[in-house]
Amino acid sequence: MTLPIAVCVSGRGSNLQALIDAIEQRRLDARIVLVACSRAGVPALDRAARAGIPSGVFPVTKATRSEAQAAMGQAIKGSGARLVVLAGYDRILADAFWDALGEVPVINIHPSLLPAFGGLNGMKVHQAVVAAGATESGATVHRAYRGKLDEGEILVQRRVPVSPRDTPETLADRVLAAEHDALVQAVGLFVPAAAS
Ligand code: GRF
C-alpha cells in the first residue's frame, strides 16, 4: 500500500530528490503529498515543483517560529501524510508543531553516526568529525520526538570511512551519498505491507 508522506526541507533538497527518484523508479512505494519548507526561494522548492509535488513555505523567524510551525503541522495533517520526513529541515520544532501534528510519526536524517556528533548541524558535524580524527562517520535516520534533538530510536545507519586526507567538504560529499540511501531505506520501513 502506497505510503503518503510529507517532507520538511530548508535548502538544497538533495535528500528530497533521493526520495522523488526512488518513488519514480518504483524502489519506494510512497507518494509525497506535501513538501513543507522553512524558507522561500530555495532549490528544494524547485525540485518539488519539477516533480509536480504541492509545496508550502512556512517561513521561520525567531518571532514567528511557533506560529509558522503550527501552520506547517496543520498543513501536514491536512495533507493526509502518514509519515513526516525531516530531510535537511534546519529548525528546532516548537511544541505547537507537535500539537498540530498529533500522532503522525516523524523521522529525521542526521549526517553522523549518532549518538556520535549529535546536537550539531550542517557542516559543523563534518568539521567536528575531521577535527576529532575519527576514522569513520556516516548517516543516521532516527525517530524524532517533541523536545528532543538528534535522539529517538535509530532506524537505519550507513557507515563511511574517513581518511586522514579528508576535509569537512570531501567528507560531507561522501556522507551525503550515504544519507540518500539510508533515507530511502528508512521510509520504506513505514510502508504498510500489502494485504494478502
Ligand atoms: C543533510 O546533510 C542533512 O543530513 C542535514 O542537512 C543536509 C541537507 O541536505 N540535516 P539536503 O538539503 O537534503 O541536500
Side-chain angles (χ1 to χ4, degrees):
M1 254 164 55
T2 303
L3 177 72
I5 65 175
V7 184
C8 299
V9 294
S10 295
R12 178 179 53 186
S14 72
N15 279 289
L16 167 66
Q17 190 66 53
L19 293 172
I20 292 170
D21 293 346
I23 291 167
E24 276 177 10
Q25 294 161 12
R26 299 181 182 268
R27 291 182 281 119
L28 179 63
D29 189 7
R31 189 162 54 92
I32 303 174
V33 292
L34 181 67
V35 168
C37 190
S38 62
R39 293 169 209 276
V42 296
L45 290 167
D46 299 331
R47 296 180 193 268
R50 273 202 301 276
I53 300 168
S55 62
V57 180
F58 304 90
V60 176
T61 66
K62 232 180 202 158
T64 63
R65 182 167 70 102
S66 195
E67 291 81 354
Q69 292 181 341
M72 182 170 86
Q74 280 152 15
I76 291 172
K77 185 101 187 142
S79 74
R82 303 292 298 273
L83 175 71
V84 178
V85 182
L86 305 177
Y89 184 78
D90 66 359
R91 298 301 183 130
I92 292 175
L93 289 163
D95 282 349
F97 169 80
W98 297 99
D99 291 341
L101 192 65
E103 297 304 306
V104 184
V106 180
I107 65 174
N108 180 48
I109 177 101
H110 184 80
S112 76
L113 291 176
L114 288 175
F117 303 102
L120 300 169
N121 66 26
M123 205 45 104
K124 292 210 170 73
V125 177
H126 306 299
Q127 283 161 356
V129 170
V130 168
T135 56
E136 69 172 0
S137 189
T140 303
V141 185
H142 62 94
R143 283 289 300 266
Y145 296 103
R146 179 192 296 259
K148 294 192 189 266
L149 188 61
D150 300 332
E151 293 172 84
E153 306 91 279
I154 291 174
L155 301 169
V156 177
Q157 276 189 323
R158 283 277 198 287
R159 313 179 97 80
V160 305
V162 183
S163 105
R165 288 178 304 280
D166 268 318
T167 63
E169 290 74 20
T170 60
L171 179 59
D173 288 348
R174 193 173 314 122
V175 170
L176 192 62
E179 287 183 46
H180 296 163
D181 266 12
L183 192 59
V184 170
Q185 190 190 340
V187 172
L189 298 175
F190 290 83
V191 174
S196 53

